[in-house]
Amino acid sequence: MTDRPAQHSAPPSVRRVLTLLVAACIVPIVLVLAVLIINFYRQEEARLVENTLNHARHVSAAADREVRSTQLALQVLASSYLLHERDLRTFHARISAVVDKLHVDSILLLDLDGRILLSTLRPYGSALPQLTDRPLLQRTRSTAMPGVSGIFTGPLVGQPIVTIAVPVIENGKVVMSLNATVTPATLQPLLFEQKFPESWRAGIVDQQFRIITRSHDMARLAGQQLPAELRQPLSRERESAFDSYTLEGKRSLFVYHRSPQTGWTAILGIPHDELTAPLQRSLFWLITLSVIALALGSTCALWLARRVTRSIQALIAPALAVGQAVPLPLPRLYFSEARELGQALQIAARDLQRARADSSESEQRLALAARAAHLGIWTRDLRQQQIWVSQAWRELFGFNAEQPITLDDLLARVHPADRQHVQRTLDSTLYGATRYDMEFRIELASGCQRWISSHGSVEFDRHQRPTLVRGVSLDITSRKQAELDLQQKQKEVTHLARVAMLGELSGALAHELNQPLTAILSNAQAAQRFLGQPAPDLAEVQEILNDIASEDQRAGAIIARLRSLFGKHDAQRQRISAQSLIDSVQHLISNDLIHQRLTLRTELCKETLTLEADPVQLQQVLLNLLMNACDAQSQQIEHSNLIVLRSARVGQTLQLSISDSGGGIPAEALEQIFTPFYTTKARGMGLGLSICRSIVDAHGGRLWAENNSHGGATFHLRLPLAEAAQP
């Protein structure tokens, strides 16, 4: 009797398992689809309500902008001197000229009793009615603030209008009201600009829920009050949605938003059949396609199960061999795709072996290059909050080889003055920044400082969330020190240029100082004579002493100006008016102009313009340009004795122009004159204009020159105004 092999129960086939799996998935999938469909419907409805509410907000915001712009224009007109002088005829002509530009239908002026003083709808002097109902006028008078009315029938046009009013204030009191009227037709484009579907109903109502304007049948309905079934839900909240019927009797979803500025409410009505029809179609197709997909999936899974199983099992051994990078011979396979997969596994095994060798070589090269360049390499895992750094990085920042590194450890090494900037830059990688470059100082345990240049790039996952930051850090202390040394030398050159300018002005300044000193000497001698008399006149002596003190203060002011201009100090920016800057320069150069028999004429902007700048450096620029103009005038045998200094506002900048009547500048030298050591003077150093341009560039401005058509040259200096420099 022969032994038979033990019988074991056969495992379930792929076909049986897939059949049971499909059957087990049908019921849960159907339930999930049902839940998804219900949620989909609710989400679609909420999305439509939110989108429509945004449209209502846009309409309300557009109406607010129209009201605000009209109020601003009226406030400008209300401040006109013509109203304060009661020149109403001229004021009527002025507002008639601008009424079309304001997108309003008319402008009128009321006194506090409601009498219409003038209107752009009537010629000046025409008889005008008096308002009987004037709540907006009373509100404007009591609050002294601009306001807007509801819709009412205008006494001049006999049709519905709204009024926008601003107070006319004199000596702190409201004396009149300047109003602009707008018809519903003028406001209707605010609705059409949103390009709503033709089936929607859009409108704006006032504080009493009277229709100001409407997208449909506006001419008939303007000024009418909404029915109670619409007014009641509108009065509950500032913005919401509710179901009701339109004025045409069609059931719709109404979405509204009330403006806190005007009290007007923007209302949008969407027909219910337009809301539900797309959702019903989506629901039908979603269910149909889900059933079809489930049926096809089950059929295909059962048909392919037996055929796929054999090929999958045959590829298990080659797949396991890939990890060891050892290709195995392929078994017999039933599908061309399975054969291709098997060949791909063999290729993958060979590529993996080659990639491991290349990766090892690349890592060695990278480590060698980093050590040669003294680069510190680091990686920051944003998900795990872990930081890996190379040994070179640890040496750069003064960490030992075993010490774990955290972000707080890094920030603790950063110089306190740079720590906030480094923290903000690192935080930016969490909010969408793709890379960063920064320079900062660190303080080592030995007490010395080191400048670091750090560069990083951010990696994102498939949801565009930052996951990893890689970068390098480099010691740039030597370069930074060289930059600081260069800045110091530039400061010294600028100071030497000011000292050289002092030499050129020394004769005129000596004369200016001689005048108060001579007056002090004369007054002191006179005081001695009075005091030598038997009965000196003490009142006269007191006046002499007052003159001495005044002349002494004058001499002190001259010396203070010289010390501020030629003292050696760091640039310190402050707010300074253009007028005071020009006045200070005129004081310094006035006597030099007199000695050379030249006249400086100023043509200055009437507006008060303020700069954020170093006044001493700007004085140096203006003095250099004015002295160059004096030299250009004196080199001509026959020349005008006039130099012109102009100031003007150009956008958000101040432009200063200095014009002379000299020989001009050769065309080829117009740009070279700003090059260091280039000069057209016999004894010039060639640094003045170069330093001037450097100072102007440091202030964010521009300096250039051009020849005048009538002879001579003009230097233009343009600097940003203080308000333009604010962040």
Side-chain angles (χ1 to χ4, degrees):
M1 183 175 178
T2 60
D3 294 333
R4 295 183 178 180
Q7 298 293 322
H8 299 283
S9 60
S13 64
V14 173
R15 179 178 181 179
R16 183 182 301 176
V17 171
L18 288 178
T19 302
L20 294 175
L21 180 63
V22 170
C25 290
I26 289 176
V27 174
I29 289 176
V30 170
L31 294 177
V32 170
L33 285 176
V35 173
L36 291 176
I37 290 170
I38 295 173
N39 289 335
F40 176 77
Y41 178 87
R42 292 175 178 174
Q43 291 174 1
E44 282 293 298
E45 185 178 28
R47 184 182 62 82
L48 287 172
V49 170
E50 182 60 28
N51 289 343
T52 308
L53 184 57
N54 285 332
H55 285 304
R57 292 169 183 156
H58 290 323
V59 171
S60 181
D64 288 350
R65 285 195 299 271
E66 287 291 326
V67 171
R68 282 197 299 269
S69 63
T70 303
Q71 288 175 342
L72 289 174
L74 290 177
Q75 286 175 330
V76 172
L77 293 172
S79 63
S80 174
Y81 71 94
L82 297 173
L83 288 179
H84 294 286
E85 295 177 1
R86 298 298 188 270
D87 187 358
L88 300 185
R89 181 182 298 276
T90 306
F91 184 74
H92 181 273
R94 176 169 294 182
I95 61 176
S96 298
V98 302
V99 65
D100 292 335
K101 300 177 182 178
L102 300 183
H103 303 292
V104 298
D105 297 279
S106 69
I107 298 176
L108 50 90
L109 184 66
L110 305 175
D111 64 11
L112 299 183
D113 295 326
R115 185 167 59 90
I116 303 177
L117 301 178
L118 54 86
S119 170
T120 57
L121 295 175
R122 299 287 189 273
Y124 180 76
S126 301
L128 299 172
Q130 183 169 353
L131 297 180
T132 56
D133 186 17
R134 44 183 184 271
L136 177 59
L137 177 62
Q138 294 172 355
R139 188 165 66 250
T140 302
R141 178 181 180 180
S142 61
T143 64
M145 297 293 292
V148 60
S149 72
I151 191 166
F152 65 97
T153 301
L156 293 178
V157 295
Q159 61 179 352
I161 60 171
V162 293
T163 301
I164 302 169
V166 299
V168 179
I169 301 175
E170 291 183 2
N171 299 323
K173 295 182 179 180
V174 178
V175 297
M176 290 179 287
S177 175
L178 186 62
N179 295 12
T181 64
V182 183
T183 63
T186 303
L187 293 173
Q188 198 173 34
L190 297 178
L191 305 178
F192 293 153
E193 287 173 357
Q194 303 297 320
K195 298 181 180 179
F196 298 127
E198 180 62 26
S199 59
W200 288 24
R201 294 297 182 267
I204 301 176
V205 299
D206 65 8
Q207 302 89 335
Q208 304 300 323
F209 304 110
R210 293 187 294 266
I211 299 174
I212 296 177
T213 187
R214 196 170 185 265
S215 59
H216 295 73
D217 206 9
M218 188 267 295
R220 179 176 65 88
L221 298 176
Q224 293 187 16
Q225 192 173 44
L226 296 178
E229 57 268 25
L230 291 178
R231 295 199 306 270
Q232 185 176 1
L234 286 174
S235 61
R236 294 173 185 167
E237 300 178 44
R238 192 167 67 87
E239 62 177 24
S240 188
F242 62 94
D243 285 329
S244 188
Y245 290 86
T246 66
L247 298 180
E248 292 84 359
K250 194 168 187 178
R251 188 184 177 194
S252 301
L253 173 67
F254 288 90
V255 178
Y256 67 92
H257 173 81
R258 184 176 302 108
S259 168
Q261 176 183 339
T262 61
W264 295 354
T265 304
I267 310 175
L268 300 179
I270 308 174
H272 255 281
D273 54 1
E274 184 175 332
L275 286 172
T276 57
L279 296 177
Q280 291 175 352
R281 288 195 298 270
S282 300
L283 185 64
F284 171 79
W285 284 112
L286 185 59
I287 295 174
T288 302
L289 293 176
S290 298
V291 173
I292 294 173
L294 287 172
L296 290 176
S298 300
T299 303
C300 292
L302 294 174
W303 185 77
L304 292 173
R306 185 174 59 183
R307 291 166 177 79
V308 173
T309 302
R310 295 178 182 177
S311 296
I312 292 176
Q313 291 174 343
L315 291 174
I316 292 176
L320 293 174
V322 172
Q324 287 75 36
V326 179
L328 294 179
L330 294 177
R332 183 172 178 269
L333 300 172
Y334 295 97
F335 297 99
S336 61
E337 291 81 0
R339 293 191 183 97
E340 293 174 0
L341 178 59
Q343 293 172 357
L345 290 174
Q346 289 183 320
I347 295 172
R350 290 193 295 267
D351 291 346
L352 178 60
Q353 189 175 10
R354 188 181 303 113
R356 286 176 176 174
D358 293 342
S359 176
S360 177
E361 179 66 21
S362 176
E363 289 177 358
Q364 293 176 5
R365 290 176 181 175
L366 179 60
L368 182 60
R371 285 195 298 269
H374 303 289
L375 286 176
I377 304 174
W378 51 266
T379 302
R380 180 185 175 197
D381 189 331
L382 299 178
R383 290 180 173 176
Q384 303 296 328
Q385 293 301 315
Q386 294 178 351
I387 298 177
W388 173 89
V389 296
S390 66
Q391 182 59 35
W393 190 95
R394 291 178 178 274
E395 295 172 358
L396 191 62
F397 281 78
F399 291 101
N400 58 47
E402 288 76 22
Q403 181 178 355
I405 305 298
T406 66
L407 189 59
D408 292 336
D409 296 331
L410 168 63
L411 293 175
R413 295 292 172 94
V414 177
H415 191 281
D418 300 336
R419 192 169 296 157
Q420 187 176 6
H421 167 65
V422 173
Q423 179 72 68
R424 285 199 305 266
T425 303
L426 295 178
D427 290 344
S428 68
T429 60
L430 304 176
Y431 304 105
T434 58
R435 61 173 294 111
Y436 70 80
D437 301 278
M438 62 176 171
E439 295 179 354
F440 55 91
R441 292 163 292 176
I442 62 173
E443 294 181 330
L444 301 179
S446 61
C448 64
Q449 289 186 1
R450 181 176 290 167
W451 276 94
I452 301 296
S453 176
S454 183
H455 312 273
S457 61
V458 185
E459 295 181 7
F460 298 87
D461 61 13
R462 60 190 182 91
H463 300 293
Q464 293 303 306
R465 292 190 295 260
T467 58
L468 197 68
V469 185
R470 304 179 189 272
V472 295
S473 297
L474 176 66
D475 185 352
I476 58 170
T477 305
S478 300
R479 175 170 66 81
K480 276 293 182 180
Q481 188 60 46
E483 290 177 358
L484 294 175
D485 293 342
L486 178 59
Q487 291 176 4
Q488 183 62 32
K489 288 180 173 56
Q490 288 176 342
K491 291 179 182 179
E492 293 175 356
V493 171
T494 302
H495 176 67
L496 288 176
R498 288 202 296 268
V499 173
M501 193 184 304
L502 174 61
E504 297 183 33
L505 285 172
S506 59
L509 294 173
H511 176 75
E512 187 173 354
L513 281 172
N514 188 53
Q515 290 180 350
L517 292 176
T518 302
I520 290 172
L521 177 60
S522 299
N523 282 313
Q525 291 173 344
Q528 287 177 338
R529 289 195 299 270
F530 274 104
L531 292 175
Q533 296 176 2
D537 187 347
L538 296 180
E540 188 68 27
V541 173
Q542 182 64 40
E543 292 182 5
I544 292 174
L545 293 176
N546 291 339
D547 291 340
I548 291 174
S550 176
E551 293 299 328
D552 181 79
Q553 292 173 354
R554 177 183 171 194
I558 295 170
I559 294 172
R561 287 200 300 272
L562 293 177
R563 292 183 63 185
S564 66
L565 179 61
F566 300 106
K568 190 173 183 181
H569 66 288
D570 292 333
Q572 295 182 353
R573 298 195 180 187
Q574 61 188 51
R575 284 184 175 264
I576 180 174
S577 69
Q579 183 65 53
S580 63
L581 175 65
I582 294 171
D583 289 344
S584 63
V585 173
Q586 281 184 287
H587 280 301
L588 290 170
I589 202 170
S590 58
N591 280 282
D592 199 60
L593 292 170
I594 294 173
H595 291 165
Q596 298 187 50
R597 299 182 179 179
L598 297 174
T599 300
L600 175 62
R601 186 177 73 196
T602 57
E603 299 176 1
L604 305 181
C605 176
K606 295 182 180 179
E607 183 180 359
T608 300
L609 303 177
T610 306
L611 303 171
E612 186 80 24
D614 183 345
V616 174
Q617 290 187 347
L618 292 189
Q619 285 177 1
Q620 179 176 354
V621 172
L622 288 181
L623 275 174
N624 197 303
L625 296 179
L626 286 170
M627 292 175 65
N628 285 349
C630 294
D631 292 342
Q633 301 271 91
S634 62
Q635 291 174 4
Q636 301 297 310
I637 298 176
E638 293 183 2
H639 65 274
S640 169
N641 65 346
L642 181 63
I643 298 174
V644 181
L645 171 59
R646 300 181 178 89
S647 69
R649 178 174 185 149
V650 181
Q652 294 298 315
T653 64
L654 164 69
Q655 179 165 314
L656 298 173
S657 301
I658 298 174
S659 300
D660 62 61
S661 302
I665 304 171
E668 65 276 6
L670 275 175
E671 276 303 320
Q672 293 183 5
I673 58 176
F674 296 102
T675 304
F677 304 110
Y678 179 87
T679 180
T680 58
K681 299 179 182 180
R683 294 180 296 172
M685 293 190 303
L687 291 175
L689 290 177
S690 173
I691 291 174
C692 288
R693 175 169 277 187
S694 298
I695 292 174
V696 174
D697 289 344
H699 282 76
R702 181 186 171 208
L703 175 63
W704 74 99
E706 59 187 13
N707 286 315
N708 302 327
S709 58
H710 57 276
T714 298
F715 282 80
H716 299 285
L717 167 62
R718 187 172 291 179
L719 295 166
L721 296 174
E723 54 269 23
Q726 294 299 318

